[in-house]
Amino acid sequence: MKMVMKLHIKNFGCQMNKLDSSLVCSALVERGFELVETSEDADVILMNTCSVRQHAEERVLSHLGRLKHEKKSRPELVVGVIGCMAQRMGAELAEHEAVDLVAGPGQIAQIPDLIEEVLASKGTVVAVSEDIRVKGSDVERVGLDEFEMAYDSDANHIPGQAFVRVMRGCNNFCTYCIVPYVRGPEVSRKPADIIKQIRKLADGGVKQITLLGQTIDAYEYAEGGKIYRLGDLLEETSEIEGVEWIRFITSHPGKFDAGILEAMASLKKVTPYLHIPAQSGSDRILKAMNRRYTAEHYLSLIEKARQMVPGISIVSDFIVGFPGETEEDFEATVELVRKARFKNSFVFKYSPRVGTHCEKKLADDVSDEVKKERNIELLAVQNAISEEDNLKYLGATVKVLVEGLSKKPHLNKAENDDNPQLVGRTATDHIVVFNGPERLRASFADVKVIKTSALTLFGEID
Ligand code: SAH
Ligand code: SF4
Ligand code: F3S
């Protein structure tokens, strides 16, 4: 084995996956690996994959195609596929010529050992959960918790911010969704562990904590005769010195309750931001999706949120072209978007996922062309709303947590090296681009908004 092995890790998935990647990275760095920016420089390449849509998997397969060629000239290169697609495909992926390691989300703590195993044996190693819907043993759970606690310091590459998992898995079985089959059953983590972890992160200088769960509003942990819910976690996190902003993603409209809104209304550190996907505005489709709420319930919920938490920004996800979605169903979704006035919406074209109820029982009968049209139309409706609503920030001074250098120079090109273009986010998660000294990274700044667009606010330091 070389003295210093170089590691490159690529992410294809959601925040859960990104968090897994950073934990694995920190663990490998502790084992002596050096992190490198490009795959050409790496001795070990890990791809942390997503299965939520076909497109996400196709991107991974095309990367693997390229790596197969690269391995012809560099046979010692180690390629690992980890994450949700690894869990879904298991041994099938191991047959790919480029692949040396396959490990699921439940096996992240073992990855450092598994890589050593590959390096020692030169054979392909597969580690995924046998029956993903069977809850892992206590030993496995404690192993994951300990891994999480030990390697969380580097849990995010945006300085000053960290993501903390409060629950794993999902029990909702929305009929289109692969997540319950790749992330396993819902398990809430022990509140004391979560709080201890956040304290440690705050001591290390973290200012913003984002609590993570697929259905975070379903968080529930019984201990000492008390049932801890999300509101309790928000309250305890609020008491931690150093933590200034708290976010939580993602909420499920069927689980959301007034207790969470009360916590948001009364706790100053909890940001007025809610990611609560509606998925559709048609009750017929919502039923077929097994979402367990109606459009009316959804709208009343966000109305209540706006009453209790003034200025709250609400974000949603939508699937267009779900099996059987008629023009009328789609119009109901457009109507919901018009009424709800989201800060922004993520719109996805329905993609059948192997093993889900939809894939087994419902024909993917909306053509790709219609899916595309609906996607464009819904985004256009949303964009017009975002553009209009963002105008209210014009001339206002907003507080932002600065993330660092802006990657896309939009308006103000860097005037000089001392005053480059920076990007930050408001408490409501609005992106703000402005010029300022780079030392502002990871700190708060007051920025006066001088121009707005649908997705970005542009400003200058006040
Ligand atoms: N747990 C989160 C979402 C996780 S997946 C929640 O329930 O809100 C992120 C988004 O991907 C979903 O909100 C949904 O809009 C979309 N999605 C999930 N499965 C999909 C599929 N089969 N086809 C298209 N989009 C899908
Ligand atoms: Fe998927 Fe539904 Fe669970 Fe979200 S709540 S992860 S959409 S099954
Ligand atoms: Fe996330 Fe994709 Fe897995 S959305 S949980 S990485 S299937």
Side-chain angles (χ1 to χ4, degrees):
M1 191 169 137
K2 281 191 204 168
M3 283 307 282
V4 177
M5 295 286 285
K6 291 182 176 158
L7 167 75
H8 178 70
I9 186 156
K10 254 191 188 13
N11 229 93
F12 295 84
C14 63
Q15 295 295 354
M16 277 290 171
N17 259 32
K18 285 190 189 148
L19 173 56
D20 289 343
S21 288
S22 26
L23 296 169
V24 169
C25 253
S26 315
L28 285 168
V29 166
E30 194 190 83
R31 290 259 180 128
F33 280 80
E34 182 194 330
L35 206 58
V36 291
E37 292 288 320
T38 58
S39 55
E40 290 78 25
D41 297 331
D43 304 300
V44 175
I45 298 173
L46 292 180
M47 295 204 272
N48 197 359
T49 59
C50 173
S51 276
V52 84
R53 281 169 292 276
Q54 184 62 30
H55 178 66
E57 293 200 345
E58 278 161 8
R59 283 173 56 219
V60 172
L61 293 173
S62 86
H63 262 86
L64 284 178
R66 260 174 271 151
L67 287 172
K68 191 174 94 180
H69 290 293
E70 181 144 356
K71 282 187 93 160
K72 293 217 168 90
S73 53
R74 290 208 293 146
E76 71 291 352
L77 177 66
V78 172
V79 175
V81 182
I82 65 174
C84 295
M85 187 178 170
Q87 175 60 45
R88 189 183 81 71
M89 293 176 69
E92 197 186 326
L93 260 178
E95 279 165 26
H96 193 290
E97 261 180 79
V99 177
D100 303 291
L101 165 69
V102 179
Q107 285 72 35
I108 48 169
Q110 300 159 32
I111 288 174
D113 285 344
L114 296 171
I115 291 177
E116 303 274 350
E117 210 178 297
V118 171
L119 289 168
S121 72
K122 284 285 154 216
T124 307
V125 174
V126 181
V128 294
S129 300
E130 285 280 322
D131 186 346
I132 188 74
R133 291 305 302 173
V134 174
K135 260 191 194 162
S137 66
D138 282 353
V139 175
E140 282 167 331
R141 187 181 49 71
V142 169
L144 279 171
D145 278 343
E146 283 176 354
F147 187 72
E148 200 119 17
M149 310 259 273
Y151 298 110
D152 63 355
S153 55
D154 187 27
N156 191 309
H157 51 262
I158 309 177
Q161 305 189 13
F163 290 82
V164 175
R165 187 170 359 239
V166 305
M167 58 204 294
R168 305 193 170 92
C170 184
N171 285 353
N172 278 291
F173 290 99
C174 301
T175 52
Y176 51 82
C177 186
I178 195 78
V179 172
Y181 304 93
V182 288
R183 287 270 165 183
E186 203 170 279
V187 181
S188 291
R189 292 182 62 207
K190 197 178 158 77
D193 283 355
I194 297 167
I195 297 303
K196 192 167 139 199
Q197 204 178 328
I198 298 173
R199 266 206 200 101
K200 193 179 95 180
L201 290 162
D203 287 346
V206 165
K207 293 182 176 133
Q208 175 176 293
I209 295 287
T210 303
L211 306 178
L212 280 187
Q214 293 294 355
T215 347
I216 196 157
D217 42 351
Y219 176 85
E220 198 176 285
Y221 194 96
E223 196 175 40
K226 179 178 156 72
I227 295 182
Y228 287 83
R229 299 192 198 281
L230 179 61
D232 302 302
L233 283 185
L234 293 174
E235 201 174 322
E236 288 201 28
T237 306
S238 276
E239 282 160 17
I240 298 173
E241 208 178 311
V243 172
E244 298 198 42
W245 279 359
I246 305 163
R247 300 189 193 280
F248 57 93
I249 50 174
T250 309
S251 298
H252 187 292
K255 309 273 170 171
F256 206 81
D257 62 41
I260 303 170
L261 288 177
E262 276 157 26
M264 292 181 88
S266 64
L267 302 167
K268 278 205 311 277
K269 293 182 181 179
V270 179
T271 55
Y273 170 80
L274 206 52
H275 184 185
I276 187 159
Q279 311 295 1
S280 170
S282 154
D283 289 345
R284 206 178 65 80
I285 297 292
L286 285 170
K287 192 155 194 276
M289 286 176 161
N290 190 29
R291 290 291 287 182
R292 285 171 273 165
Y293 53 84
T294 59
E296 193 187 312
H297 173 81
Y298 183 88
L299 286 168
S300 71
L301 210 153
I302 63 170
E303 194 183 305
K304 196 159 182 193
R306 289 200 166 115
Q307 274 166 14
M308 291 180 67
V309 188
I312 192 170
S313 70
I314 299 172
V315 171
S316 181
D317 298 358
F318 290 95
I319 295 176
V320 292
F322 185 83
E325 187 189 65
T326 61
E327 203 49 49
E328 205 183 340
D329 293 318
F330 175 66
E331 280 312 315
T333 300
V334 172
E335 192 54 29
L336 183 128
V337 169
R338 287 217 168 92
K339 286 187 181 150
R341 300 195 78 86
F342 297 109
K343 172 190 156 263
N344 64 280
S345 291
F346 299 98
V347 182
F348 306 105
K349 291 185 289 177
Y350 169 71
S351 165
R353 308 311 299 133
V354 174
T356 59
H357 173 89
C358 275
E359 184 267 338
K360 288 191 278 190
K361 307 272 188 208
L362 305 173
D364 179 16
D365 57 2
V366 178
S367 71
D368 199 49
E369 204 184 328
V370 171
K371 284 180 188 169
K372 236 184 241 162
E373 277 169 20
R374 291 181 183 170
N375 193 337
I376 292 170
E377 185 180 336
L378 196 59
L379 275 181
V381 172
Q382 174 60 56
N383 251 32
I385 292 168
S386 304
E387 217 171 288
E388 213 175 292
D389 285 355
N390 279 351
L391 282 174
K392 70 171 183 279
Y393 289 98
L394 205 57
T397 296
V398 292
K399 181 176 170 183
V400 301
L401 179 55
V402 183
E403 293 183 355
L405 293 176
S406 153
K407 284 188 200 89
K408 296 180 204 150
H410 296 265
L411 173 76
N412 338 326
K413 270 180 81 83
E415 285 157 8
N416 55 58
D417 290 350
D418 299 334
N419 207 28
Q421 193 168 68
L422 303 176
V423 64
R425 280 173 194 260
T426 64
T428 49
D429 211 42
H430 283 82
I431 298 169
V432 185
V433 171
F434 61 99
N435 286 86
E438 211 182 328
R439 63 175 159 74
L440 286 180
R441 188 195 292 263
S443 60
F444 289 97
D446 287 326
V447 179
K448 187 171 177 203
V449 179
I450 54 167
K451 184 183 157 173
T452 64
S453 73
L455 294 177
T456 316
L457 308 179
F458 303 93
E460 46 196 32
I461 289 202
D462 214 24

